[in-house]
């Protein structure tokens, strides 16, 4: 007899302690806001947004314990990190949950990647990866190395239900090592829950086989583990032999396969700032710590304490992540029957295939931005173009739009409203007008794009 039939269920492992009111705007207000923002929903002021699914990074709800810990004002920065209480509290948590003896805290995932690739990636060498995130990609390329994608072909097939589309193709990896020589390959860098192809996970079985190849050829294996909790939750659900394991056990088993890890704390770890390098090598840690000091990307004591307070809460049970992936699946289930979303569901967002959304006429010019503008005008909900694609996806003509669901921020009622808005947009897709980008010599190419409707 399961819990529900005995009258006991625990669906949501938290309660609201503080809330932010959300304004219900009129369509006329939203139309005016869109025109003022030149049809770029990214620059519409936050107070005119009802539900914001443009990112799940740095916008999740922290716990009361994390807020209290963030008030820490003791010294955290400087050269002697071991002298900082906040650093030591965090180091103990990192050792316990991820199994690494050495770590360097940074401000974000990208600052960790910058330092780690500078130390480990040689100019002119090759890095084997699985459609790595743009920041990882840029930092590798800035060292003068070349990235070769060795992800399985399933990553490019949006319609099948392959449970682990983030997996490395072992034959492609072996072939690369044979062709280029192990000495030419600086590292194998594996992103967990591969954002650019739909947030698809990497299985432990696949990672373990990659580790065997890496060890045989003495090539370091690094993880981009920003979404390690999400990846581990999907392993638990989809990889039969780990069904009885706790999330904490799967996270440790994942980390045990890696020589080093870079990680942003902004996604799975429920804070607004923070990143890490984990390593087994004291020398690399010392170099990375010095580089973080020189780059000015050391983490404040309050930020370290907020993460240190969150980790025991997160690992105390699987409830937080179970509820998170179930909420994303709730939204996915509502859309998958009618709207062309990437299959299967991921752990942090729902991804729309724009080529299919606008078929058979094909995507409008600036399809993602045009759809986002339409959805905002009708509902006040913000969605954004993305995730950022790898060059091999751009070459294939991939066009995606991601509904990123921040952790613990919204209720399933919000998800109902999102499904309603996106379902309506799909039904009215022939009404959605494409956009034209305004070329203005006075504006830098880095400024947010401005559009007019066609
Ligand atoms: C997979 C992945 N890697 C790295 C990063 C970079 O992390 P940050 O934004 O903390 O610099 C992100 C950010 O979204 C990400 O999703």
């Amino acid at each position: 007899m399961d819990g529900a039939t005995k009258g006991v269920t625990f669906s949501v492992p938290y309660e609201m302690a503080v809330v932010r009111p959300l304004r219900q705007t009129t369509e006329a207000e939203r139309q005016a806001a869109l025109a003022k923002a030149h049809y770029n929903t990214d620059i519409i002021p936050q107070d005119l947004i009802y539900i914001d699914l443009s990112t799940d990074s740095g916008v999740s709800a922290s716990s009361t314990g994390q807020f209290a810990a963030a008030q820490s004002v003791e010294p955290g920065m400087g050269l002697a990190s071991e002298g900082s209480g906040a650093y030591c509290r965090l180091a103990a948590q990192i050792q316990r949950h991820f199994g690494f003896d050495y770590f360097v805290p940074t401000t974000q995932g990208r600052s960790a990647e910058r330092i780690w690739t500078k130390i480990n990636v040689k100019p002119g060498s090759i890095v084997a990866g699985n459609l790595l995130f743009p920041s990882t990609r840029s930092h590798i390329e800035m060292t003068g190395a070349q990235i070769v994608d060795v992800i399985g072909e399933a990553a490019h097939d949006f319609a099948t239900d392959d449970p682990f589309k983030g997996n490395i193709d072992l034959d492609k990896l072996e072939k690369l090592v044979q062709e280029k020589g192990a000495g030419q390959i600086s590292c194998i860098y594996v992103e967990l829950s591969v954002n650019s192809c739909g947030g698809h996970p990497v299985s432990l079985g696949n990672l373990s086989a990659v580790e065997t190849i890496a060890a045989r050829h003495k090539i370091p294996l690094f993880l981009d583990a920003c979404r390690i909790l999400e990846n581990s939750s999907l392993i638990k659900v989809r990889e039969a032999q780990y069904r009885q394991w706790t999330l904490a056990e799967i996270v440790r088993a994942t980390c045990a396969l890696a020589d080093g890890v870079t990680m942003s704390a902004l996604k799975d770890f429920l804070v607004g700032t923070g990143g890490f390098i984990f390593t087994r090598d004291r020398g690399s840690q010392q170099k990375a710590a010095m580089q973080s000091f020189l780059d000015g990307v050391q983490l404040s004591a309050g930020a370290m304490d907020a993460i240190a307070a969150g980790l025991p809460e997160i690992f105390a049970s699987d409830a937080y992540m179970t509820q998170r992936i179930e909420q994303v699946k709730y939204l996915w289930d509502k859309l998958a029957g009618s709207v062309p979303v990437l299959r299967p569901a991921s752990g942090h967002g729902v991804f729309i295939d724009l080529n299919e959304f606008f078929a058979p006429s094909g995507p409008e010019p600036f399809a993602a931005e045009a759809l986002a503008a339409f959805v905002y005008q009708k509902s006040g909900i913000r969605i954004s173009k993305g995730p950022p694609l790898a060059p091999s996806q751009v070459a294939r003509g991939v066009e995606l739009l991601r509904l990123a669901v921040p952790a613990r921020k919204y209720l399933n009622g919000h998800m109902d409203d999102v499904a309603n808005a996106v379902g309506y947009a799909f039904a009215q897709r022939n009404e959605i007008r494409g956009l034209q980008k305004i070329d203005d010599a006075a504006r830098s190419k880095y400024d947010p794009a401005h559009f007019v409707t066609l």
Side-chain angles (χ1 to χ4, degrees):
M1 204 188 273
D2 68 12
T5 52
K6 287 185 192 163
V8 53
T9 43
F10 296 104
S11 304
V12 185
Y14 53 87
E15 62 183 5
M16 314 305 156
V18 179
V19 296
R20 179 167 41 228
L22 295 174
R23 260 188 69 199
Q24 296 176 1
T25 48
T26 62
E27 184 157 354
E29 276 181 297
R30 296 191 294 273
Q31 226 156 6
L34 262 179
K36 200 166 170 201
H38 302 275
Y39 294 89
N40 181 343
T41 53
D42 289 344
I43 48 180
I44 291 176
Q46 192 67 43
D47 65 334
L48 295 173
I49 303 291
Y50 170 41
I51 300 169
D52 197 343
L53 302 191
S54 58
T55 182
D56 67 329
S57 182
V59 290
S60 45
S62 295
S63 71
T64 46
Q66 286 180 298
F67 269 118
Q71 307 311 313
S72 173
V73 288
E74 60 183 62
M77 302 190 214
L79 269 177
S81 39
E82 287 85 346
S84 148
Y87 178 90
C88 294
R89 285 189 284 280
L90 183 53
Q93 290 296 327
I94 301 286
Q95 213 298 324
R96 173 154 180 236
H97 297 293
F98 304 101
F100 281 88
D101 286 340
Y102 304 111
F103 95 111
V104 177
T106 60
T107 45
Q108 273 187 256
R110 64 200 67 191
S111 37
E113 291 161 0
R114 173 80 188 118
I115 293 168
W116 195 237
T117 52
K118 207 167 170 182
I119 293 174
N120 289 285
V121 177
K122 296 183 209 77
S125 71
I126 284 167
V127 171
N130 58 343
L131 298 181
L132 297 172
F133 191 75
S135 58
T136 326
R137 193 168 272 279
S138 313
H139 290 131
I140 291 169
E141 288 172 348
M142 276 158 69
T143 68
Q146 182 204 344
I147 299 167
V148 177
D149 279 323
V150 288
I151 196 165
E153 285 305 301
H156 302 294
D157 185 346
F158 298 146
T160 61
D161 282 320
D162 185 325
F164 289 106
K165 291 183 178 175
N167 279 357
I168 297 280
D169 181 323
L170 302 175
D171 291 336
K172 282 189 195 170
L173 178 60
E174 281 283 16
K175 198 160 159 248
L176 180 70
V177 179
Q178 296 314 325
E179 270 176 21
K180 303 290 180 185
Q184 267 298 100
I185 300 177
S186 280
C187 61
I188 303 168
Y189 219 130
V190 177
E191 179 182 328
L192 303 178
S193 289
V194 184
N195 214 344
S196 57
C197 66
H200 294 302
V202 178
S203 72
L204 252 185
N206 182 258
L207 198 61
S208 170
V210 171
E211 191 270 340
T212 305
I213 296 173
R216 184 168 356 109
H217 296 289
K218 298 191 169 47
I219 303 171
L221 172 58
F222 300 147
L223 301 179
D224 171 355
C226 299
R227 299 185 183 279
I228 191 169
L229 296 181
E230 198 186 305
N231 199 77
S232 300
S233 300
L234 293 173
I235 286 175
K236 189 174 162 74
V237 176
R238 297 181 189 172
E239 204 170 356
Q241 64 268 47
Y242 301 106
R243 210 148 285 158
Q244 303 308 322
W245 288 37
T246 64
L247 210 57
E249 288 167 335
I250 298 174
V251 166
R252 273 192 81 104
T254 303
C255 285
L257 296 169
D259 298 297
V261 168
T262 54
M263 192 190 277
S264 163
L266 277 71
K267 291 95 180 114
D268 284 354
F269 297 98
L270 304 167
V271 288
T273 184
F276 305 116
I277 294 166
F278 299 161
T279 170
R280 305 192 189 286
D281 174 48
R282 170 94 176 121
S284 297
Q285 186 239 8
Q286 286 173 324
K287 266 194 213 166
M290 172 55 90
Q291 192 64 48
S292 76
F293 178 71
L294 294 175
D295 288 355
V297 293
Q298 292 179 306
L299 198 56
S300 71
M304 285 195 276
D305 268 330
I307 301 169
L311 289 174
E313 293 175 358
I314 287 168
F315 285 110
S317 86
D318 295 352
Y320 144 54
M321 277 312 294
T322 302
Q323 191 263 343
R324 170 147 175 68
I325 61 166
E326 281 178 359
Q327 184 173 58
V328 175
K329 178 82 168 39
Y330 178 85
L331 176 59
W332 187 89
D333 282 337
K334 283 189 158 279
L335 291 172
S338 50
V339 180
V341 293
L342 270 52
R343 306 183 68 85
S346 89
H348 73 274
V350 178
F351 297 67
I352 295 172
D353 179 351
L354 291 171
N355 284 307
E356 289 297 319
F357 192 99
F358 288 106
S361 59
E364 298 285 344
F366 296 99
E369 292 86 346
L371 176 54
F374 183 87
V375 168
Y376 175 74
Q377 182 180 321
K378 295 295 169 193
S379 65
I381 295 167
R382 171 151 55 197
I383 52 182
S384 278
K385 182 182 172 71
L389 301 174
S392 58
Q393 295 174 294
V394 176
R396 287 169 190 250
V398 171
E399 292 253 16
L400 302 179
L401 190 146
R402 183 183 67 168
L403 316 177
V405 181
R408 302 200 296 206
K409 186 171 177 183
Y410 294 118
L411 306 173
N412 283 359
H414 292 111
M415 298 298 109
D416 293 338
D417 297 344
V418 172
N420 185 26
V422 174
Y424 178 78
F426 186 61
Q428 303 296 315
R429 60 194 178 284
N430 293 332
E431 308 291 309
I432 298 175
R433 283 148 67 198
L435 298 174
Q436 188 185 331
K437 197 166 172 189
I438 303 171
D439 286 321
D440 178 351
R443 300 183 77 243
S444 146
K445 67 175 180 179
Y446 302 108
D447 282 339
H450 285 175
F451 301 99
V452 286
T453 49
L454 286 175

